Amino acid sequence: MAAHLKKRVYEEFTKVVQQQHEDLSAKKLRLTKPSKSAALHVDLCKATSPADALQYLLQFARKPVEVESVEGVVRILLEHYYKVENDASVRLKIASLLGLLSKTAGFSPDCIMDDAINTLQNEKSHQVLAQLLDTLLVIGTKLTENPSVRMRLVEVACKHLTDSSHGVRNKCLQLIGCLGPVEKGVAKEVESQAAKDVQKIIGDHFNDQDPRVRTAAIKAMLQLHERGLKLQQAIYGQACKLLADDYEQVRSAAVQLIWVLSQLYPESIVPIPSSNEEIRLVDDAFGKICHMVSDGSWVVRVQAAKLLGSMQQVSSHFLEQTLDKKLMSDLRRKRTAHERAKELYSSGEFSSGRKWGDDAPKEEIDTGAVNLIESGACGAFVHGLEDEMYEVRIAAVEALCMLAQSSPSFAEKCLDFLVDMFNDEIEEVRLQSIHTMRKISNNITLREDQLDTVLAVLEDSSRDIREALHELLCCTNVSTKEGIHLALVELLKNLTKYPTDRESIWKCLKFLGSRHPTLVLPLVPELLSTHPFFDTPEPDMDDPAYIAVLVLIFNAAKSCPTMPALFSDHTFRHYAYLRDSLSHLVPPLRLPGRKLVSSPVSPSITPHEDPSQQFLHQSLERVYNLQHLDPQGIQELLEFTIRDLQRLGELQSELAGMADFTATYLQCQLLLIKALQEKLWNVAAPLYLKQNALASAAAKQILEETYKMEFMYSGVENRQVVIIHHMRLQAKALQLIVTARTTRGVEPLFGMCEKFLQEVDSFQRCFISELPHMQGSFVDKLLDLMPRLVTSKPSEVVKILQTTLRQSTFLHLPLPERLYRASANIIEPTGESDNPLRFTSGLVVALDVDATLEHVQDPQGTVKVQVLYPDGQAQLIHPKPADFRNPGPGRHRLITQVYLSHTAWTEPCQIEVRLLLAYNSNRSKATAKIPKSTWSESIEALPQSENGIEGTIPFSKPVKVYIMPKPARR
Amino acid sequence: MPEIKVTPLGAGQDVGRSCILVSIAGKNVMLDCGMHMGYNDDRRFPDFSYITQNGRLTDFLDCVIISHFHLDHCGALPYFSEMVGYDGPIYMTHPTKAICPILLEDYRKITVDKKGETNFFTSQMIKDCMKKVVAVHLHQTVQVDEELEIKAYYAGHVLGAAMFQIKVGCESVVYTGDYNMTPDRHLGAAWIDKCRPDLLITESTYATTIRDSKRCRERDFLKKVHETVERGGKVLIPVFALGRAQELCILLETFWERMNLKAPIYFSTGLTEKANHYYKLFITWTNQKIRKTFVQRNMFEFKHIKAFDRAFADNPGPMVVFATPGMLHAGQSLQIFRKWAGNEKNMVIMPGYCVQGTVGHKILSGQRKLEMEGRQILEVKMQVEYMSFSAHADAKGIMQLIRQAEPRNVLLVHGEAKKMEFLKQKIEQEFHVNCYMPANGETTTIFTNPSIPVDISLGLLKRETAIGLLPDVKKPKLMHGTLIMKDNSFRLVSPEQALKELGLAEHQLRFTCRVHIQDPRKEHETVLRVYNHLKGVLKDYSVQHLPDGSITVESILIQATAHSEDQGTKVLLVSWTYQDEELGSYLTSLLKKGLPQGTS
């Protein structure tokens, strides 16, 4: 085999030499494909000095090598390596090239493994050795299925572990970590030296003299763990010693290792040194990692704080210690501010003015009992949350969140600390702690004093913070009616200070009301300012604050039937008004003696037999079954069904996506049928220009609609995509036919036909698995006729298409489980302002845009802002990725600034701002499933994207903004 | 045995007048040169006559190091350098060098101009003194002379505060100055690497205190200020000009920014404004947040905090005023206090400790009626709050620093004796290191066990490591070589090279030993028996029977001759060089046991 290959290489070589005689230009050389290895050989032979050779190699490395010629290139490199090279840097480059080449997709590097191992034997330079081992690692990772190869490589690595250079040892350990035998059984079968316990070999290097090697050893161990080897518990002791290492990267890796072990053996028992006691390993490890939270290096601190969060098996008393910090002052026990606050609260004298010496220390402490450096978990989080670096603080908050989610009692305890974090100096930390609090809100009830602190943050000038806090309040449990009152008062204060928060505050109060009906009940008279004897003036219905109060009350009243009795007359009127205008905030109420409220859907009907869903399916069935009606009947039925579906979507918000989707599909079908009914098909073309316009318009609209169907809905599966693409194909066929009938001459048709056939072909390639479901469809028939189509003339093709299009059946559109239509709502600018935004022409003005997006996948990539000027000029703006926030699943928020500019106008005028959803037919769901091409193929893949149609779908209502560019003053 | 001697001239079991003498490996270093707040006589400065009665201090001290700009750490500096006389280098960090003269000048003004003292240092002396200062950067190793080197570490506490490592050869001392292990709003936490000094001299102000989280304190402070301002009241915060004042400013400034508050904040002018300027300049010495955001906006360029004018105190509406001095005993803060004390809507927040006898102390202890000068009675209706913002490490912090640095000995200064006692006991118990707490003037001697570096030639090292097993990590390894001590340097070289260098001829040393064996047989038969025996026992060695009738084991020669008197006794002559001593003595003892019977 090898001989044969060599021969081939030399054949290539000779060929190139001939070419060189003919034409000496280097360009020609590169053009001939298989000459790569030979060219390299020539270059290397030409090289007079090592520096030259290095240059050639560097140049060579920049170009990709085809799979076929990899082996030849490798041979040449190796030959050069053996024979010529005395310079270490060139050998190093060759070694690295070997690694690079063996990565080439489709190349199996087992043939060069022996050579690579052989080169190792005679190599003296440590750097080259390390590089060669790296190459072996690449080879090994490509041949993981072959245990004997792996064994051999591990053996080689073990042999070089005694090398004096850290680099070599590093690589050896890495190699062992990546390739070491994981399954016990295999290790026994292959009775070789390398079958020795890899763990022991690696473990021996835990106290290597070089910190880099120590780190590599721990990393190798972790690698083994990741590959599924069960690490031995004996390592634990060694790992614990490494925690006290001088080097931060070692400590950082050791913390990870300890964590891994604690997850593997949580329940085993380890002794506590210097005492007879024993504790569970996970507790011990927890204590040790906690200790690392006050390490000298912040990298280690972050690592430790992060890992703490995932140690859920730890015993509760250990966990609670992390929040414990015994205070003392002059050797007397002092209570923490948290404890004092709690006491004040429980003794009932909340918010007393504090006196000097209130925190005076009381009890004496036994000096012997104070342990200043606890070996355990004491105060780890207290330290972590107070850390200098915000990275550590964030990690600590995250860990706190994870632990609190799994332990309600811990959640209760960590509350004070989380609340404290609301005042952190870095906004990110504040935000993170608010989110954390929201996540654990099921487990906690806020005390009044805590609520007080939480609410104080409502005045924060950052909108993100305020909104996060509103979200938090939505799902918070409050314990007393004073708490509710406090929250309401603060929210109203927030509302007056930041009127833009209106929606968010209303929503917050909605949940607050519905969660605490009994607490709201006693507050109602006060809130509505009703009086038992006197009529009070009717409040202003447009006052956002009043609306806020009503939202709270009405939502509480939903589950508290006695509440409406407390309402005064105007309250009922206002209810009716709000129920209509803000129906998403005000629930239906059953009010005594009022007909105003109609809630036909009684909650007793369970959703699984939802009649509206049934209706949807029934109407679809009807359409699909009645295929053989006369064309007129079909059209009518489709029209009715579309109307029904659209109405259904308006009524049932949860079915809106589904209904709209199907309606759009039926609409497409309807258009298609209508277009095919046209008389133009029977008459000579030039006479029917008008109808022809109708048909081509229909084709165009169908195309547009299919893009909408494909890209505007989330939850669309492959089954639907096929149908959509099929519809699109039909539309294109229609387009082709129309063009064929209206244009004279055949030349333009050639191109179109070819393109269409290509599309059919690509359709077949993409959806080959779905084709069996499409019996009798347009494409099915088309594919049957494919051989004929390819060979026939355009006019014939058109004829065939026309008949198939007419004969093809109507495809059934299966519905996915859930389907949501992407939608956007621009909150700001509101478009109500009469004051034009004035700015000097030629300069820019920033317009704040705030919008909510729902069910948009990957908004960072797809959502664009469009500005339309009165002169028809349109501007497309790509918002920054950071402008998108993700407040909940399926929801996004776009808060960005749009820069406007224009030349001077005489009058203020309105511009339109709207959001667009950009799509690229290439990035469609179908093609995304094709695996990503590797680097060598990526070049070929590039031009393909040019075929993809890029477009945009407007998906929000346009908002008008009044602007006035003034002429610049001289 | 080498030793390090430490003598505190001030701050030994005491707070104030920090001044510690350290002599390490023949070098004398003075750490800090402070004054005592509590005294107005000679005791306010350290007793420099301890160093030398007559003659220049320069001859006795190699350098002076100042840890930070507080007067109890640098107040005596002009007196020491200009009046007592010292011309050597003085080391401090850049911010300290910048701010120190302002404070010294202020101190001088109060003492000379206000109290009318004479025989005090002058402005010129301060200037001259500052000329002797060498500024250092963080983590910069400064070579004072060929042997002595110092290095500064970040200490928190105040702007520019540093810990210093003093190193001579392998011996080192770390002096912490004052430091803070918890970061605050404008400074980060102290940090030191694992430098394992022989001695760590640490402050111990809060030796018996473990403090609550700073967040509670901050939150309380902000809440109080916010509530009062919302009520329309005025808030007075008496502060010392530097340090805490900046922290509180940042705290309020960010809070105002966050909460969009409009009430004005004022800062009494003078000293502070100048100091704020330096805070703006030395951004690298501040905490993470300020360092990261200063590109957009320097946090010390306050938006909401404006300079105070005396007339503002009578303005209606809410306001917050920072005013000096901190203990309400005189000056602007007292004036404002008198104006505002009558209104219960107002509030005064004392952010620090107040000395007995000051107005601050009186109101903190709950006195509501104060007698002012001129027999006026001032009724205090305003709320009085106490808020402790201290920038010293607490007991836990001190322990944490010790853990980080891993010293071999610890010495406590800058604290009260009783409290030190407790901490000392804890340190000894938990770290198993010696801990000392000398009083002023008391000398502590610490014996060190420095490792002595020896140069070894690469050839020898490679040769020696090649012999025997793998280099076992962290275990001592035996090596053969010749130690040459020459010109204050140590070198380990191979014996041959040593001979060559010293021009000596090589002498061979041989040990010879006779062993008598009872064997009636002929000589060559005995030799054969011995040969077979040895061959059987010493399997790992090359045992050879030479044609001249002698046996060699490695390089050891064995010859047998018949005893001149008794033919039945054979005499075995064993001879070896001193390098083979081990094998040679083993062989003799083996042969002395005699030959086994019936081996022939």
Side-chain angles (χ1 to χ4, degrees), chain A residues 218-219 221-226 229-232 235-236 239 253-266 281-282 285 289 307 310-311 313:
Chain A
I218 302 172
K219 292 246 168 84
M221 201 63 110
L222 289 170
Q223 180 82 37
L224 282 178
H225 165 73
E226 258 168 47
L229 181 71
K230 190 159 187 195
L231 302 185
Q232 292 151 0
I235 304 171
Y236 184 72
V255 168
Q256 265 177 303
L257 185 59
I258 290 211
W259 178 79
V260 164
L261 287 168
S262 78
Q263 302 298 305
L264 283 176
Y265 305 96
L281 190 139
V282 65
I289 296 179
L307 291 177
S310 46
M311 297 181 77
Q313 300 108 313

Side-chain angles (χ1 to χ4, degrees), chain B residues 32 408 529:
Chain B
D32 279 344
R408 282 183 267 279
R529 275 187 72 196

Side-chain angles (χ1 to χ4, degrees), chain A residues 162 207-209 214 244-246 251 291 294-297 325-331 335-338 353-354 356 367-374 378 382-383 385-391 393 416 419-426 430 452-453 456-457 459-462 493 497-498, chain B residues 154 182-185 187-189 191 194 196 207-216 218-220 222-224 226-227 230 255 257-261 286-289 291-292 364-366 384-387 394-396 399-400 403-404 406 419 422-423 425-426 429-431 470 473-474:
Chain A
T162 53
N207 32 23
D208 192 278
Q209 57 185 352
R214 292 201 290 272
D245 199 276
D246 282 8
R251 291 200 299 268
H291 202 55
S294 50
D295 190 86
S297 150
K325 190 180 175 187
K326 296 264 180 315
L327 301 191
M328 61 176 191
S329 171
D330 285 350
L331 286 183
R335 287 164 313 144
T336 62
H338 291 151
R354 212 166 84 217
W356 152 248
T367 52
V370 184
N371 193 6
L372 284 181
I373 290 202
E374 285 87 348
C378 265
V382 180
H383 285 293
L385 293 176
E386 264 185 43
D387 199 275
E388 183 185 355
M389 311 300 282
Y390 84 91
E391 292 90 341
R393 296 201 296 268
D416 277 324
V419 170
D420 278 349
M421 294 308 285
F422 283 18
N423 281 320
D424 195 274
E425 54 190 345
I426 305 244
R430 294 202 293 269
D452 199 35
T453 327
V457 185
E459 287 192 50
D460 203 296
S461 59
S462 154
K493 225 196 246 173
K497 206 163 174 182
Y498 305 101
Chain B
Y154 191 75
T182 45
D184 62 29
R185 287 285 170 149
L187 297 174
W191 179 87
K194 221 174 250 198
R196 301 198 174 90
T208 55
T209 302
I210 300 176
R211 270 202 309 263
D212 199 355
S213 124
K214 62 165 182 148
R215 291 181 191 285
C216 299
E218 281 176 8
R219 201 187 60 212
D220 267 9
L222 293 172
K223 202 170 142 195
K224 273 173 200 159
H226 190 190
E227 276 171 4
E230 278 211 325
F255 188 71
E257 184 100 12
R258 257 181 70 194
M259 298 305 189
N260 242 334
L261 297 179
T286 54
N287 72 2
Q288 189 194 20
K289 155 103 178 170
R291 265 184 289 141
K292 290 222 163 139
L364 275 182
S365 46
V384 179
E385 293 286 351
Y386 173 74
M387 205 95 258
D394 64 359
K396 270 205 152 173
M399 298 302 262
Q400 205 181 329
R403 188 160 76 96
Q404 272 183 23
E406 293 188 5
K419 297 180 180 177
F422 163 78
L423 191 66
Q425 180 201 335
K426 284 287 152 200
Q429 186 183 320
E430 282 178 34
F431 294 107
L470 298 175
V473 197
K474 285 175 184 168

Side-chain angles (χ1 to χ4, degrees), chain A residues 801-816:
Chain A
L801 279 181
Q802 196 174 333
T803 42
T804 15
L805 207 53
R806 278 172 170 240
Q807 286 163 1
S808 59
T809 52
F810 179 25
L811 271 181
H812 192 292
L813 177 70
L815 281 180

Side-chain angles (χ1 to χ4, degrees), chain A residues 31 68 71 74 220 225 273 386 426 547 589 593 636 653 857 898 920 936:
Chain A
L31 281 172
E68 314 85 66
E71 186 156 357
V74 166
H225 165 73
E386 264 185 43
I426 305 244
I547 296 178
L589 289 185
E636 267 170 28
S653 57
Q857 293 162 324
V898 170
N920 179 347
S936 54

